[in-house]
Amino acid sequence: MIPEGIAYGGDYNPEQWPEEVWAEDVRLMREAGVNMVSVNIFAWAFLEPREGEYDFARLDKILALLHENGIAADLATPTAAPPAWFFRKHPQALPVDRDGRRLSYGSRQTFCPSSPAYREAALRITRVLAERYADHPAVVMWHVHNEYGCHNAECYCDASAEAFRAWLRSRYGDLEALNHAWGTAFWSQWYYDWDEIIPPRATGAVPNPTHQLDWRRFCSDALLALCKAEREVLREAAPAVPATTNFMVMYNFDALDYWRWAPELDVVSNDHYLRSTDPESQIDIALSGDLVRSLAGGPWLLMEHSTGAVNWQPVNRAKNPGELRRNALGHVARGADGIAYFQWRAAKAGAEQWHSAMLPHAGTDSQIWRDVVALGADLKALAEVRGSTSPASVAVVWDWNARWALELPSQPSESVRYLDMVRAWYEPLWRSGVAVDFVHPSADLSRYRLVLAPALYLVDDAGAENLTGFASGGGTLVVGFHSGAVDTNCHVRLGGYPGAFREALGVSTDELFPLLPDESLGLSGGGTASLWSERVAPAGAETVTSYTSGPLTGVPAVTRYTYGEGVAWYLATHPDPETLAGLLDRIRREAGVEPVRETPDGVEAVLRRGEDADYLFLINHGDRDAEVEVRAGATELLAGKPVGAGAVTVAPGDVLVVREP
């Protein structure tokens, strides 16, 4: 069973250290409050030194040591890093890049996801591992692989081409349907034989967009098939032990459609690292946490983040004082029932030797170690928060298919980036303390008052009907520019923009006018617009804001339309942050959406709801004391003392967690 309360730990790689270090490791883990670690993630070469020959002596000792010290194991299948002997025997399993170069082994994830040899070897080691440790008392969870697709999301080899064709046959049935879906009448791309279809390898001009989109879908599904295959082997051996794999819902990864992945896991977990150039990385933590919680449908586990610097950005800096604590508790606030780091002990050799860890190079006489121990005490004090939910009345539509399609080549503007648009709309809600879920276009929207679709360039008919039906049924729908433009096959919806949403929005656009990087337009009521503009003609909608400069002067930039029993807004441009915040604030107030709690600027307020109490997380990102009203009878959990009635004071850089009856 996963430890009670909040799980705490990290990746534990004792194979990197002599055995005499292990006793010190577990002693320090207990001192820090660690109750669960991930083990065996990159140990394939030690478990199977030669094909079919196994050595579990080291892992047996490690699991026994953990169990004797009351530390649970999240036991990984080691399949993210096949050993050198495998590639010497099966060089065809190495991945091929878009330009046709076969890559070498010597790092991790150096395999083709469609390789039969890799699949056979991965399932073999998984089966042997599962049968040996199915009933081990230390093992509370299976950790399938590690960061699927982090380095090998796409392989363009002949085996991948064959698997891609099989995937397409399953999707379309026959070539006529595929040719129609891909629009292959353009540029004489019509296919007469399945074997003519290849991956979208490097070519002289722009590849077919639907070909590229289906390739992204296939690549996600190919890795998902591997994950499911390993999970089934584990389930056969130990049906009562839950399985997870660590997602990468973070700014620099978009390879997998996690809406398809999440239902296949017993526990959803995520890895999250900060962008060093992000001046307000706390917003990225919140956005990622809300998205992972939405994928999980409730609490989730943070499987990896960093105590300090990472090693793979251009400049890797340590975290500022208090940042480790704020980051970790920010994830807990957004639904994480476990906090774990890469890794337990900082490596002295290897590719990640300059990556921070819970036990740094400096040892226990270090600020990181003191922070790690203090965080362990905090998480122990928050044990009762585990399992609580996060109510929200606002949903933001998120779809990986739309993201992939929007960022294909030959768009009206390459400056329109999916995550940038979503974050721009999410940030004002975050600053206002409004709770947010993320939803797939097909999701049940009945519990929401307000649904935002900032960048839904691609949407299928069912998704469009679901969203417009939400508005006609009494909800408030807000749609961003260039949304609804294409269908599931990436075909432009004819008749004017914004395609699938024209009727519900009460507008029609006949021409797009993306703006240059340094170009902006004035808006009525103040503020400016950048990035995008279009010639909107109202078809029943009222004009809320119009352009006051440029060739579209007087043309609507923001509209509002009563649609059925609800309201549909259209933002046909990208207002400056202050103007966008004011507009979204007006919209959410009209929709009856209130913040979790009124707070001063710079103070993040997040609510988790338990059966008997609410848990109010207050994180002060500012540089001055902040007072926040709380309910009578509240208790400050981290301090273990009653608050009484009235307000609590949150010091600069501090975090309070208030239990309210």
Side-chain angles (χ1 to χ4, degrees), residues 301-332:
L301 299 179
L302 180 66
M303 191 62 74
E304 284 187 31
H305 68 316
S306 66
T307 57
V310 298
N311 68 300
W312 38 265
Q313 299 189 41
V315 177
N316 298 293
R317 297 182 57 172
K319 291 185 177 181
N320 294 320
E323 191 175 359
L324 180 153
R325 183 171 185 259
R326 289 193 302 276
N327 290 171
L329 296 182
H331 286 292
V332 176

Short mmCIF file of all heavy atoms in Angstrom, two decimals, residues 301-332:
data_model
loop_
_atom_site.label_atom_id
_atom_site.label_comp_id
_atom_site.label_asym_id
_atom_site.label_seq_id
_atom_site.Cartn_x
_atom_site.Cartn_y
_atom_site.Cartn_z
N LEU A 301 0.38 12.15 -8.11
CA LEU A 301 1.69 12.15 -7.49
C LEU A 301 2.68 12.96 -8.32
O LEU A 301 2.73 12.82 -9.54
CB LEU A 301 2.24 10.72 -7.36
CG LEU A 301 1.45 9.73 -6.51
CD1 LEU A 301 2.15 8.37 -6.52
CD2 LEU A 301 1.30 10.22 -5.08
N LEU A 302 3.45 13.81 -7.66
CA LEU A 302 4.59 14.46 -8.31
C LEU A 302 5.77 13.52 -8.19
O LEU A 302 6.32 13.33 -7.10
CB LEU A 302 4.90 15.80 -7.65
CG LEU A 302 6.07 16.57 -8.26
CD1 LEU A 302 5.74 17.01 -9.68
CD2 LEU A 302 6.43 17.78 -7.41
N MET A 303 6.16 12.90 -9.29
CA MET A 303 7.19 11.87 -9.26
C MET A 303 8.60 12.44 -9.34
O MET A 303 9.55 11.85 -8.82
CB MET A 303 6.95 10.87 -10.40
CG MET A 303 7.78 9.61 -10.32
SD MET A 303 7.45 8.65 -8.82
CE MET A 303 5.85 7.94 -9.25
N GLU A 304 8.76 13.57 -10.02
CA GLU A 304 10.07 14.21 -10.10
C GLU A 304 9.93 15.72 -10.14
O GLU A 304 9.06 16.25 -10.83
CB GLU A 304 10.80 13.80 -11.40
CG GLU A 304 11.40 12.43 -11.45
CD GLU A 304 12.23 12.24 -12.72
OE1 GLU A 304 12.80 13.24 -13.22
OE2 GLU A 304 12.29 11.11 -13.23
N HIS A 305 10.74 16.39 -9.38
CA HIS A 305 11.08 17.78 -9.61
C HIS A 305 12.44 18.01 -8.98
O HIS A 305 13.11 17.05 -8.59
CB HIS A 305 10.00 18.76 -9.15
CG HIS A 305 9.77 18.87 -7.67
ND1 HIS A 305 9.69 17.80 -6.82
CD2 HIS A 305 9.56 19.97 -6.90
CE1 HIS A 305 9.45 18.22 -5.59
NE2 HIS A 305 9.37 19.53 -5.61
N SER A 306 12.92 19.22 -8.90
CA SER A 306 14.30 19.44 -8.46
C SER A 306 14.34 20.23 -7.16
O SER A 306 13.53 21.13 -6.93
CB SER A 306 15.10 20.19 -9.53
OG SER A 306 14.59 21.49 -9.71
N THR A 307 15.31 19.89 -6.31
CA THR A 307 15.53 20.67 -5.10
C THR A 307 16.22 21.99 -5.43
O THR A 307 16.10 22.96 -4.67
CB THR A 307 16.40 19.90 -4.11
OG1 THR A 307 17.64 19.55 -4.75
CG2 THR A 307 15.70 18.63 -3.64
N GLY A 308 16.95 22.01 -6.51
CA GLY A 308 17.69 23.21 -6.91
C GLY A 308 17.85 23.27 -8.41
O GLY A 308 16.88 23.19 -9.16
N ALA A 309 19.09 23.33 -8.86
CA ALA A 309 19.36 23.46 -10.29
C ALA A 309 19.16 22.14 -11.02
O ALA A 309 19.34 21.06 -10.46
CB ALA A 309 20.79 23.95 -10.50
N VAL A 310 18.79 22.25 -12.30
CA VAL A 310 18.84 21.11 -13.20
C VAL A 310 20.16 21.18 -13.95
O VAL A 310 21.01 22.01 -13.65
CB VAL A 310 17.63 21.08 -14.16
CG1 VAL A 310 16.33 20.95 -13.38
CG2 VAL A 310 17.59 22.34 -15.03
N ASN A 311 20.35 20.31 -14.95
CA ASN A 311 21.63 20.30 -15.65
C ASN A 311 21.49 20.43 -17.15
O ASN A 311 22.47 20.31 -17.88
CB ASN A 311 22.37 18.98 -15.35
CG ASN A 311 21.68 17.78 -15.98
OD1 ASN A 311 20.52 17.51 -15.68
ND2 ASN A 311 22.36 17.08 -16.86
N TRP A 312 20.25 20.70 -17.64
CA TRP A 312 20.04 20.60 -19.08
C TRP A 312 19.52 21.91 -19.71
O TRP A 312 19.10 21.91 -20.85
CB TRP A 312 19.05 19.46 -19.38
CG TRP A 312 17.93 19.32 -18.39
CD1 TRP A 312 17.88 18.50 -17.30
CD2 TRP A 312 16.69 20.03 -18.40
NE1 TRP A 312 16.69 18.64 -16.63
CE2 TRP A 312 15.94 19.58 -17.29
CE3 TRP A 312 16.12 21.01 -19.23
CZ2 TRP A 312 14.66 20.06 -16.98
CZ3 TRP A 312 14.86 21.48 -18.93
CH2 TRP A 312 14.14 21.02 -17.82
N GLN A 313 19.59 23.01 -18.97
CA GLN A 313 19.25 24.30 -19.55
C GLN A 313 20.54 25.07 -19.83
O GLN A 313 21.60 24.72 -19.31
CB GLN A 313 18.33 25.07 -18.60
CG GLN A 313 17.01 24.34 -18.34
CD GLN A 313 16.00 25.18 -17.58
OE1 GLN A 313 15.85 26.36 -17.83
NE2 GLN A 313 15.30 24.55 -16.65
N PRO A 314 20.47 26.12 -20.63
CA PRO A 314 21.71 26.85 -20.96
C PRO A 314 22.45 27.37 -19.73
O PRO A 314 23.68 27.34 -19.67
CB PRO A 314 21.20 28.01 -21.84
CG PRO A 314 19.95 27.49 -22.45
CD PRO A 314 19.31 26.62 -21.41
N VAL A 315 21.69 27.85 -18.74
CA VAL A 315 22.27 28.26 -17.46
C VAL A 315 21.45 27.61 -16.36
O VAL A 315 20.21 27.72 -16.35
CB VAL A 315 22.25 29.80 -17.29
CG1 VAL A 315 22.78 30.18 -15.91
CG2 VAL A 315 23.07 30.47 -18.39
N ASN A 316 22.12 26.92 -15.44
CA ASN A 316 21.42 26.16 -14.40
C ASN A 316 21.77 26.73 -13.03
O ASN A 316 22.88 26.54 -12.53
CB ASN A 316 21.83 24.68 -14.49
CG ASN A 316 21.45 24.08 -15.83
OD1 ASN A 316 20.29 23.92 -16.15
ND2 ASN A 316 22.45 23.75 -16.65
N ARG A 317 20.79 27.41 -12.43
CA ARG A 317 21.00 28.10 -11.17
C ARG A 317 20.23 27.41 -10.05
O ARG A 317 19.16 26.83 -10.27
CB ARG A 317 20.57 29.55 -11.27
CG ARG A 317 21.36 30.37 -12.26
CD ARG A 317 20.91 31.80 -12.29
NE ARG A 317 21.01 32.44 -10.98
CZ ARG A 317 20.83 33.75 -10.79
NH1 ARG A 317 20.53 34.53 -11.81
NH2 ARG A 317 20.93 34.26 -9.58
N ALA A 318 20.77 27.52 -8.84
CA ALA A 318 20.08 27.01 -7.66
C ALA A 318 18.81 27.81 -7.40
O ALA A 318 18.64 28.93 -7.89
CB ALA A 318 21.01 27.09 -6.45
N LYS A 319 17.91 27.23 -6.63
CA LYS A 319 16.68 27.93 -6.27
C LYS A 319 16.97 28.95 -5.17
O LYS A 319 17.90 28.80 -4.37
CB LYS A 319 15.62 26.93 -5.82
CG LYS A 319 15.10 26.06 -6.94
CD LYS A 319 13.97 25.15 -6.52
CE LYS A 319 13.45 24.35 -7.72
NZ LYS A 319 12.32 23.46 -7.38
N ASN A 320 16.13 29.97 -5.11
CA ASN A 320 16.27 31.01 -4.10
C ASN A 320 15.78 30.50 -2.75
O ASN A 320 15.04 29.51 -2.67
CB ASN A 320 15.47 32.24 -4.52
CG ASN A 320 16.03 32.90 -5.76
OD1 ASN A 320 17.26 32.99 -5.91
ND2 ASN A 320 15.17 33.36 -6.65
N PRO A 321 16.16 31.15 -1.66
CA PRO A 321 15.70 30.73 -0.34
C PRO A 321 14.17 30.63 -0.27
O PRO A 321 13.47 31.55 -0.71
CB PRO A 321 16.23 31.84 0.59
CG PRO A 321 17.44 32.36 -0.12
CD PRO A 321 17.10 32.27 -1.59
N GLY A 322 13.68 29.53 0.25
CA GLY A 322 12.24 29.32 0.40
C GLY A 322 11.56 28.78 -0.84
O GLY A 322 10.40 28.36 -0.77
N GLU A 323 12.26 28.78 -1.97
CA GLU A 323 11.63 28.37 -3.23
C GLU A 323 11.34 26.88 -3.25
O GLU A 323 10.30 26.45 -3.77
CB GLU A 323 12.50 28.78 -4.41
CG GLU A 323 11.82 28.63 -5.76
CD GLU A 323 12.66 29.15 -6.91
OE1 GLU A 323 13.79 29.64 -6.68
OE2 GLU A 323 12.19 29.04 -8.06
N LEU A 324 12.24 26.07 -2.70
CA LEU A 324 12.02 24.63 -2.66
C LEU A 324 10.69 24.33 -1.96
O LEU A 324 9.88 23.54 -2.45
CB LEU A 324 13.19 23.95 -1.95
CG LEU A 324 13.17 22.43 -1.78
CD1 LEU A 324 14.61 21.91 -1.68
CD2 LEU A 324 12.40 21.99 -0.55
N ARG A 325 10.46 24.96 -0.82
CA ARG A 325 9.24 24.72 -0.05
C ARG A 325 8.00 25.22 -0.78
O ARG A 325 6.99 24.53 -0.86
CB ARG A 325 9.37 25.40 1.31
CG ARG A 325 8.20 25.18 2.27
CD ARG A 325 8.56 25.72 3.64
NE ARG A 325 7.54 25.45 4.63
CZ ARG A 325 6.64 26.34 5.05
NH1 ARG A 325 6.64 27.56 4.53
NH2 ARG A 325 5.75 26.02 5.95
N ARG A 326 8.08 26.42 -1.33
CA ARG A 326 6.92 26.97 -2.04
C ARG A 326 6.57 26.11 -3.25
O ARG A 326 5.40 25.86 -3.53
CB ARG A 326 7.19 28.42 -2.48
CG ARG A 326 7.22 29.43 -1.35
CD ARG A 326 7.16 30.85 -1.86
NE ARG A 326 8.26 31.16 -2.78
CZ ARG A 326 9.47 31.54 -2.41
NH1 ARG A 326 9.76 31.63 -1.12
NH2 ARG A 326 10.40 31.83 -3.29
N ASN A 327 7.59 25.68 -3.99
CA ASN A 327 7.34 24.83 -5.15
C ASN A 327 6.62 23.56 -4.75
O ASN A 327 5.59 23.18 -5.34
CB ASN A 327 8.64 24.47 -5.85
CG ASN A 327 9.32 25.62 -6.56
OD1 ASN A 327 10.45 25.49 -7.00
ND2 ASN A 327 8.66 26.77 -6.66
N ALA A 328 7.15 22.86 -3.75
CA ALA A 328 6.58 21.57 -3.35
C ALA A 328 5.15 21.74 -2.83
O ALA A 328 4.24 21.00 -3.23
CB ALA A 328 7.46 20.93 -2.28
N LEU A 329 4.93 22.70 -1.95
CA LEU A 329 3.59 22.88 -1.39
C LEU A 329 2.63 23.46 -2.42
O LEU A 329 1.42 23.25 -2.33
CB LEU A 329 3.66 23.76 -0.15
CG LEU A 329 4.46 23.15 1.01
CD1 LEU A 329 4.44 24.06 2.23
CD2 LEU A 329 3.93 21.76 1.38
N GLY A 330 3.16 24.15 -3.43
CA GLY A 330 2.31 24.57 -4.54
C GLY A 330 1.75 23.39 -5.30
O GLY A 330 0.59 23.39 -5.71
N HIS A 331 2.55 22.35 -5.48
CA HIS A 331 2.06 21.13 -6.12
C HIS A 331 1.02 20.43 -5.24
O HIS A 331 0.02 19.92 -5.73
CB HIS A 331 3.22 20.19 -6.43
CG HIS A 331 4.08 20.61 -7.58
ND1 HIS A 331 3.62 20.60 -8.88
CD2 HIS A 331 5.36 21.03 -7.63
CE1 HIS A 331 4.60 21.01 -9.69
NE2 HIS A 331 5.66 21.28 -8.95
N VAL A 332 1.28 20.37 -3.93
CA VAL A 332 0.30 19.75 -3.02
C VAL A 332 -1.02 20.52 -3.08
O VAL A 332 -2.10 19.92 -3.12
CB VAL A 332 0.85 19.70 -1.58
CG1 VAL A 332 -0.21 19.15 -0.62
CG2 VAL A 332 2.10 18.84 -1.51
#
